[in-house]
Amino acid sequence: MLRRIYRFAFAHGVRNKQVAVLVALGLGGVAFETLGLGLLLPIGNYLIAGGDLALLTESSRFWALMTDLSQSVGFPIGITAITVVCVASMLVRQGLTYIRLVYQAKVGHGLGRDIRMNLIQAFLRSELSVQEREGMGKFANVIGLEVTRVVPLVSLPIDLLIAASLSLSFLIMLLITTPTVTAGLAVMILLIGFLIRGVFRRTADVARWMVKMNNAVSEHFVERVRSARLIRLSRADQTEVEAARSLTQNQYASVVSSIRLLAVTESGLEPIVIIVGVPLLIFGSTVLNLDLAVIGFILVALARLVPMAKQALRGWQSLLKAHASMEAIEGTFIRLDDASEKDPGGQDVRRPLHTLAFKDVRFSYDGGRNEVVRGVSFEIEAGGFVALVGPSGAGKSTIVDLIPRLRTAISGTVELDGVSLIEYRLRSLRDSIAYVSQTPMLLEGSIADQIAYGRASASREEIEQAARMAHAHEFIVKMADGYDSQLGTQGVGLSGGQKQRIELARAILRKTPILILDEPTSNVDAESEFYISKALQEIRDRRDTIVLLIGHGFASVSIADRILVVQEGRITDQGTHEALMSRDGWYRNAVHQQRGAHDEAKETAIVAGAAG
Ligand code: ATP
């Protein structure tokens, strides 16, 4: 397990040197603590002997050694010098502990920071299909909570090493002082180790359970926060409360189980020490005739050993929990890295761009079993404006997703100027495409920031010009702070149509040779639909951009040079609006249906008005 932990830490920026420094600081602390504590015994001897050096030299090997040493160096090494060394050792140990704690916090939190950065990069590098599958809440839990849990991953084994070496040094000192009592203590330590094994095994299981519950709760709440409107309007509040109660109850149970296991080690140690230690001391004092200084020394050593042992056991349990979080993080990395976007191409997209062509393109979401794009071919010349229409689920969005290589065709090619997309550098390809989605994607920040997203260097004049072209300038200047008005997450503070016009301005500002619009007017008010259609006409008339519009609203679709009708993944008809209206087919029926619905709505409104 330790090897895996350090391999993980080294893979995320921790360096050998940092671990070596931490180990050196820890072991340095152990050496000074051992020295300081070890000197307590001769000090005790000195106090009991009332400072009688002759008696001390006779009864204590240490004092006999000190007397010899004093004579050979030529000046006396007495109680003052020993006390000074004892106190100084303790102080140095505290100093080393302080430096180690600060340094280990830097290393641990540095690890957390680097894992978060690596996770974000892996997420951004991965294919869209994996991003869609990777639950948002689960990812949020991993990057938030689980990463925080692995912060002590590097220092916990070192803490254990320190505790083990300190315990060992104490045991060696005790062994020199009283071998029989030390053998008894060693038996006690083995007993504790044996009893605690089951607790550790259970801790590892509970730690994994906790990660699972945290993921589930996070996933659940992120979904619900995004669906607040649906929940309220479906009157599903009570059902949601019950579902949340059950999940949070499970999460609570996992945390309580983990704390219960901690409590076992926390409270179980002292009784064992008392049950084994007290008879041992009585035995040492009555049978082995240990003197008071030795018994005092054993008590001091035990008083230091017991909390340390507790700390070590707690540390091991924390390590098991951190290990479970590490497994969750590793799993996320594996899923994301396995599906990182391939970018083998070396060409840059040339400007001006002359053609965009689909050549017998096929695509499937499930490895070829169900094709949702089935042999699509078409070509758009520079400045061309093509609309894709067709029933819901026909494959229109999937077709346009193939252009920025958000998805990859299973056969056939998509080409720019006769060169397959795979030959282009992904960065250059995506720099050539602006995209306006069905549901506007706005982030927190000012309106100007939103429009300049993806082109941070744009000047205020350029931003305003793009906003004017998207017919967004009119409502932006009416807002209290104009272009500096701050928006909440997802563009809170704007209507659907306004958000859509901001997104169109953003796309226009990027000045790309290809503009893709995925149903930009499907969720907007009549005024926004009018302005967006007007903006699209103006873009078309400039004839400097290849425009691909997916549309359900025939007002904007009808301005296209060519309309492709997509049904069940195939292009079943194509032509201008007039040509398609002149023949009986899906397009004419759909236009009539839409007009009928409009007329019906108008009629209902008139009837309602008359009745009123
Ligand atoms: P709409 O007009 O309703 O947006 P569309 O014509 O754009 O529909 P697509 O979104 O391209 O259609 O979907 C085509 C088919 O692919 C549908 O059957 C849909 O269920 C399926 N599909 C779409 N996205 C995914 C996905 N991420 N994973 C699996 N299947 C998908």
Side-chain angles (χ1 to χ4, degrees), residues 386-426:
V386 166
L388 293 178
V389 298
S392 184
K396 306 178 292 293
S397 299
T398 309
I399 290 173
V400 297
D401 279 354
L402 294 166
I403 304 171
R405 279 192 17 222
L406 292 179
R407 312 192 189 279
T408 309
I410 53 173
S411 72
T413 52
V414 183
E415 297 175 0
L416 293 183
D417 286 346
V419 177
S420 169
L421 291 186
I422 199 75
E423 304 292 332
Y424 290 107
R425 250 188 278 275
L426 210 47

Short mmCIF file of all heavy atoms in Angstrom, two decimals, residues 386-426:
data_model
loop_
_atom_site.label_atom_id
_atom_site.label_comp_id
_atom_site.label_asym_id
_atom_site.label_seq_id
_atom_site.Cartn_x
_atom_site.Cartn_y
_atom_site.Cartn_z
N VAL A 386 -25.96 27.02 -44.75
CA VAL A 386 -26.74 25.79 -44.89
C VAL A 386 -27.51 25.52 -43.60
O VAL A 386 -26.97 25.71 -42.51
CB VAL A 386 -25.80 24.59 -45.22
CG1 VAL A 386 -26.52 23.27 -45.03
CG2 VAL A 386 -25.30 24.70 -46.65
N ALA A 387 -28.76 25.12 -43.74
CA ALA A 387 -29.56 24.78 -42.56
C ALA A 387 -29.82 23.28 -42.54
O ALA A 387 -29.99 22.65 -43.58
CB ALA A 387 -30.87 25.54 -42.59
N LEU A 388 -29.81 22.72 -41.33
CA LEU A 388 -30.17 21.31 -41.16
C LEU A 388 -31.50 21.27 -40.45
O LEU A 388 -31.66 21.86 -39.38
CB LEU A 388 -29.14 20.59 -40.28
CG LEU A 388 -27.72 20.38 -40.81
CD1 LEU A 388 -26.87 19.70 -39.76
CD2 LEU A 388 -27.75 19.54 -42.06
N VAL A 389 -32.48 20.59 -41.03
CA VAL A 389 -33.78 20.47 -40.37
C VAL A 389 -34.15 18.99 -40.34
O VAL A 389 -33.53 18.16 -41.01
CB VAL A 389 -34.89 21.26 -41.12
CG1 VAL A 389 -34.60 22.74 -41.13
CG2 VAL A 389 -35.05 20.74 -42.55
N GLY A 390 -35.16 18.69 -39.55
CA GLY A 390 -35.58 17.28 -39.49
C GLY A 390 -36.21 17.00 -38.14
O GLY A 390 -36.13 17.83 -37.22
N PRO A 391 -36.86 15.86 -38.02
CA PRO A 391 -37.52 15.54 -36.75
C PRO A 391 -36.53 15.43 -35.59
O PRO A 391 -35.33 15.25 -35.82
CB PRO A 391 -38.19 14.19 -37.02
CG PRO A 391 -37.62 13.68 -38.28
CD PRO A 391 -36.99 14.80 -39.01
N SER A 392 -37.08 15.50 -34.39
CA SER A 392 -36.26 15.39 -33.20
C SER A 392 -35.58 14.00 -33.16
O SER A 392 -36.20 13.00 -33.49
CB SER A 392 -37.17 15.56 -31.98
OG SER A 392 -36.40 15.55 -30.84
N GLY A 393 -34.30 14.00 -32.81
CA GLY A 393 -33.57 12.73 -32.72
C GLY A 393 -33.06 12.23 -34.06
O GLY A 393 -32.56 11.10 -34.16
N ALA A 394 -33.18 13.05 -35.13
CA ALA A 394 -32.77 12.61 -36.47
C ALA A 394 -31.26 12.54 -36.62
O ALA A 394 -30.75 11.85 -37.50
CB ALA A 394 -33.35 13.55 -37.53
N GLY A 395 -30.52 13.28 -35.78
CA GLY A 395 -29.06 13.21 -35.85
C GLY A 395 -28.40 14.54 -36.22
O GLY A 395 -27.20 14.58 -36.47
N LYS A 396 -29.16 15.63 -36.20
CA LYS A 396 -28.63 16.94 -36.63
C LYS A 396 -27.49 17.42 -35.72
O LYS A 396 -26.41 17.78 -36.20
CB LYS A 396 -29.76 17.99 -36.66
CG LYS A 396 -30.95 17.57 -37.50
CD LYS A 396 -32.06 18.60 -37.48
CE LYS A 396 -32.75 18.76 -36.14
NZ LYS A 396 -33.54 17.60 -35.69
N SER A 397 -27.74 17.39 -34.40
CA SER A 397 -26.69 17.87 -33.47
C SER A 397 -25.46 16.99 -33.56
O SER A 397 -24.32 17.48 -33.49
CB SER A 397 -27.21 17.86 -32.03
OG SER A 397 -28.31 18.70 -31.92
N THR A 398 -25.68 15.70 -33.72
CA THR A 398 -24.54 14.78 -33.83
C THR A 398 -23.71 15.13 -35.05
O THR A 398 -22.47 15.14 -34.99
CB THR A 398 -25.04 13.33 -33.89
OG1 THR A 398 -25.96 13.11 -32.82
CG2 THR A 398 -23.91 12.34 -33.81
N ILE A 399 -24.37 15.45 -36.16
CA ILE A 399 -23.64 15.80 -37.40
C ILE A 399 -22.75 17.01 -37.15
O ILE A 399 -21.56 17.00 -37.48
CB ILE A 399 -24.64 16.06 -38.56
CG1 ILE A 399 -25.30 14.74 -38.97
CG2 ILE A 399 -23.94 16.72 -39.75
CD1 ILE A 399 -26.43 14.88 -39.99
N VAL A 400 -23.31 18.06 -36.52
CA VAL A 400 -22.47 19.26 -36.35
C VAL A 400 -21.39 19.04 -35.29
O VAL A 400 -20.31 19.63 -35.36
CB VAL A 400 -23.28 20.55 -36.04
CG1 VAL A 400 -24.19 20.91 -37.17
CG2 VAL A 400 -24.01 20.46 -34.73
N ASP A 401 -21.63 18.15 -34.33
CA ASP A 401 -20.60 17.85 -33.32
C ASP A 401 -19.35 17.23 -33.95
O ASP A 401 -18.27 17.24 -33.37
CB ASP A 401 -21.15 16.89 -32.25
CG ASP A 401 -21.98 17.61 -31.21
OD1 ASP A 401 -22.02 18.85 -31.26
OD2 ASP A 401 -22.58 16.93 -30.35
N LEU A 402 -19.52 16.65 -35.15
CA LEU A 402 -18.38 16.01 -35.80
C LEU A 402 -17.39 17.06 -36.35
O LEU A 402 -16.21 16.77 -36.53
CB LEU A 402 -18.86 15.13 -36.96
CG LEU A 402 -19.70 13.91 -36.56
CD1 LEU A 402 -20.40 13.31 -37.77
CD2 LEU A 402 -18.83 12.85 -35.90
N ILE A 403 -17.88 18.30 -36.58
CA ILE A 403 -17.02 19.31 -37.21
C ILE A 403 -15.90 19.76 -36.26
O ILE A 403 -14.73 19.73 -36.63
CB ILE A 403 -17.85 20.49 -37.76
CG1 ILE A 403 -18.91 19.94 -38.74
CG2 ILE A 403 -16.95 21.52 -38.45
CD1 ILE A 403 -19.93 20.96 -39.18
N PRO A 404 -16.20 20.13 -35.01
CA PRO A 404 -15.08 20.49 -34.10
C PRO A 404 -14.44 19.25 -33.47
O PRO A 404 -13.69 19.36 -32.52
CB PRO A 404 -15.76 21.35 -33.04
CG PRO A 404 -17.20 21.02 -33.09
CD PRO A 404 -17.52 20.39 -34.39
N ARG A 405 -14.73 18.09 -34.00
CA ARG A 405 -14.24 16.79 -33.50
C ARG A 405 -14.61 16.54 -32.04
O ARG A 405 -13.84 15.98 -31.26
CB ARG A 405 -12.73 16.67 -33.71
CG ARG A 405 -12.44 16.27 -35.12
CD ARG A 405 -11.05 15.83 -35.47
NE ARG A 405 -10.15 15.44 -34.43
CZ ARG A 405 -8.86 15.79 -34.40
NH1 ARG A 405 -8.38 16.55 -35.36
NH2 ARG A 405 -8.08 15.38 -33.46
N LEU A 406 -15.81 17.00 -31.65
CA LEU A 406 -16.32 16.65 -30.32
C LEU A 406 -16.63 15.16 -30.34
O LEU A 406 -16.62 14.49 -29.31
CB LEU A 406 -17.59 17.44 -29.99
CG LEU A 406 -17.41 18.94 -29.79
CD1 LEU A 406 -18.73 19.61 -29.50
CD2 LEU A 406 -16.42 19.21 -28.66
N ARG A 407 -16.95 14.66 -31.52
CA ARG A 407 -17.15 13.22 -31.73
C ARG A 407 -16.41 12.84 -33.01
O ARG A 407 -16.17 13.70 -33.87
CB ARG A 407 -18.64 12.90 -31.85
CG ARG A 407 -19.46 13.56 -30.73
CD ARG A 407 -20.86 13.04 -30.65
NE ARG A 407 -21.64 13.83 -29.71
CZ ARG A 407 -21.63 13.69 -28.39
NH1 ARG A 407 -20.86 12.79 -27.83
NH2 ARG A 407 -22.37 14.44 -27.61
N THR A 408 -16.08 11.55 -33.11
CA THR A 408 -15.29 11.12 -34.27
C THR A 408 -16.09 10.10 -35.08
O THR A 408 -16.64 9.14 -34.51
CB THR A 408 -13.98 10.46 -33.79
OG1 THR A 408 -13.37 11.38 -32.88
CG2 THR A 408 -13.03 10.21 -34.94
N ALA A 409 -16.13 10.32 -36.40
CA ALA A 409 -16.89 9.43 -37.29
C ALA A 409 -16.31 8.02 -37.26
O ALA A 409 -15.10 7.85 -37.12
CB ALA A 409 -16.85 9.99 -38.70
N ILE A 410 -17.19 7.02 -37.37
CA ILE A 410 -16.66 5.65 -37.43
C ILE A 410 -16.22 5.29 -38.84
O ILE A 410 -15.39 4.42 -39.05
CB ILE A 410 -17.64 4.58 -36.86
CG1 ILE A 410 -19.01 4.68 -37.52
CG2 ILE A 410 -17.76 4.70 -35.37
CD1 ILE A 410 -19.94 3.54 -37.11
N SER A 411 -16.80 5.98 -39.85
CA SER A 411 -16.27 5.85 -41.21
C SER A 411 -16.64 7.09 -42.00
O SER A 411 -17.49 7.88 -41.57
CB SER A 411 -16.81 4.59 -41.88
OG SER A 411 -18.17 4.76 -42.20
N GLY A 412 -15.97 7.26 -43.16
CA GLY A 412 -16.17 8.47 -43.93
C GLY A 412 -15.29 9.58 -43.37
O GLY A 412 -14.66 9.40 -42.33
N THR A 413 -15.27 10.72 -44.08
CA THR A 413 -14.43 11.82 -43.58
C THR A 413 -15.17 13.14 -43.61
O THR A 413 -16.06 13.35 -44.44
CB THR A 413 -13.14 12.00 -44.44
OG1 THR A 413 -13.54 12.10 -45.81
CG2 THR A 413 -12.16 10.88 -44.25
N VAL A 414 -14.77 13.99 -42.68
CA VAL A 414 -15.21 15.39 -42.72
C VAL A 414 -13.95 16.15 -43.11
O VAL A 414 -12.88 15.91 -42.53
CB VAL A 414 -15.73 15.85 -41.34
CG1 VAL A 414 -16.24 17.29 -41.43
CG2 VAL A 414 -16.82 14.93 -40.83
N GLU A 415 -14.07 17.03 -44.12
CA GLU A 415 -12.87 17.69 -44.64
C GLU A 415 -13.01 19.20 -44.69
O GLU A 415 -14.10 19.72 -44.95
CB GLU A 415 -12.57 17.17 -46.06
CG GLU A 415 -12.27 15.68 -46.10
CD GLU A 415 -12.10 15.14 -47.51
OE1 GLU A 415 -12.21 15.93 -48.48
OE2 GLU A 415 -11.85 13.93 -47.63
N LEU A 416 -11.90 19.86 -44.44
CA LEU A 416 -11.83 21.30 -44.66
C LEU A 416 -10.82 21.50 -45.78
O LEU A 416 -9.69 20.99 -45.68
CB LEU A 416 -11.34 22.04 -43.41
CG LEU A 416 -12.25 22.03 -42.18
CD1 LEU A 416 -11.63 22.85 -41.05
CD2 LEU A 416 -13.63 22.59 -42.51
N ASP A 417 -11.23 22.19 -46.83
CA ASP A 417 -10.37 22.40 -48.00
C ASP A 417 -9.75 21.09 -48.48
O ASP A 417 -8.54 21.00 -48.78
CB ASP A 417 -9.26 23.42 -47.68
CG ASP A 417 -9.81 24.83 -47.63
OD1 ASP A 417 -10.95 25.03 -48.09
OD2 ASP A 417 -9.12 25.72 -47.12
N GLY A 418 -10.53 20.03 -48.48
CA GLY A 418 -10.08 18.74 -49.00
C GLY A 418 -9.18 17.95 -48.07
O GLY A 418 -8.69 16.88 -48.43
N VAL A 419 -8.96 18.45 -46.86
CA VAL A 419 -8.07 17.75 -45.92
C VAL A 419 -8.92 17.24 -44.75
O VAL A 419 -9.71 18.00 -44.17
CB VAL A 419 -6.97 18.71 -45.39
CG1 VAL A 419 -6.11 18.02 -44.35
CG2 VAL A 419 -6.14 19.24 -46.53
N SER A 420 -8.75 15.95 -44.43
CA SER A 420 -9.55 15.37 -43.35
C SER A 420 -9.27 16.09 -42.03
O SER A 420 -8.14 16.47 -41.74
CB SER A 420 -9.20 13.88 -43.21
OG SER A 420 -9.77 13.40 -42.03
N LEU A 421 -10.32 16.21 -41.22
CA LEU A 421 -10.20 16.94 -39.95
C LEU A 421 -9.09 16.38 -39.07
O LEU A 421 -8.46 17.10 -38.31
CB LEU A 421 -11.51 16.85 -39.17
CG LEU A 421 -12.71 17.60 -39.72
CD1 LEU A 421 -13.86 17.51 -38.73
CD2 LEU A 421 -12.37 19.06 -39.98
N ILE A 422 -8.86 15.09 -39.16
CA ILE A 422 -7.88 14.44 -38.28
C ILE A 422 -6.46 14.95 -38.56
O ILE A 422 -5.58 14.88 -37.71
CB ILE A 422 -7.97 12.89 -38.41
CG1 ILE A 422 -7.32 12.17 -37.23
CG2 ILE A 422 -7.39 12.39 -39.71
CD1 ILE A 422 -8.14 12.23 -35.99
N GLU A 423 -6.27 15.54 -39.77
CA GLU A 423 -4.94 16.06 -40.13
C GLU A 423 -4.67 17.41 -39.48
O GLU A 423 -3.54 17.90 -39.48
CB GLU A 423 -4.83 16.25 -41.66
CG GLU A 423 -5.11 15.01 -42.48
CD GLU A 423 -4.06 13.95 -42.29
OE1 GLU A 423 -2.91 14.30 -41.99
OE2 GLU A 423 -4.40 12.75 -42.41
N TYR A 424 -5.72 18.02 -38.95
CA TYR A 424 -5.53 19.36 -38.36
C TYR A 424 -5.25 19.25 -36.87
O TYR A 424 -5.77 18.39 -36.18
CB TYR A 424 -6.79 20.21 -38.56
CG TYR A 424 -7.02 20.61 -39.99
CD1 TYR A 424 -8.05 20.03 -40.73
CD2 TYR A 424 -6.21 21.56 -40.61
CE1 TYR A 424 -8.27 20.39 -42.05
CE2 TYR A 424 -6.42 21.92 -41.93
CZ TYR A 424 -7.45 21.34 -42.65
OH TYR A 424 -7.65 21.68 -43.95
N ARG A 425 -4.44 20.19 -36.41
CA ARG A 425 -4.23 20.31 -34.97
C ARG A 425 -5.57 20.69 -34.35
O ARG A 425 -6.26 21.60 -34.86
CB ARG A 425 -3.24 21.45 -34.71
CG ARG A 425 -1.90 21.00 -34.21
CD ARG A 425 -1.09 22.22 -33.80
NE ARG A 425 -0.47 22.84 -34.94
CZ ARG A 425 0.69 22.46 -35.45
NH1 ARG A 425 1.35 21.48 -34.88
NH2 ARG A 425 1.21 23.06 -36.49
N LEU A 426 -5.93 20.01 -33.26
CA LEU A 426 -7.24 20.23 -32.63
C LEU A 426 -7.43 21.71 -32.26
O LEU A 426 -8.49 22.29 -32.45
CB LEU A 426 -7.31 19.34 -31.38
CG LEU A 426 -8.67 18.84 -30.95
CD1 LEU A 426 -9.47 18.27 -32.08
CD2 LEU A 426 -8.49 17.79 -29.86
#
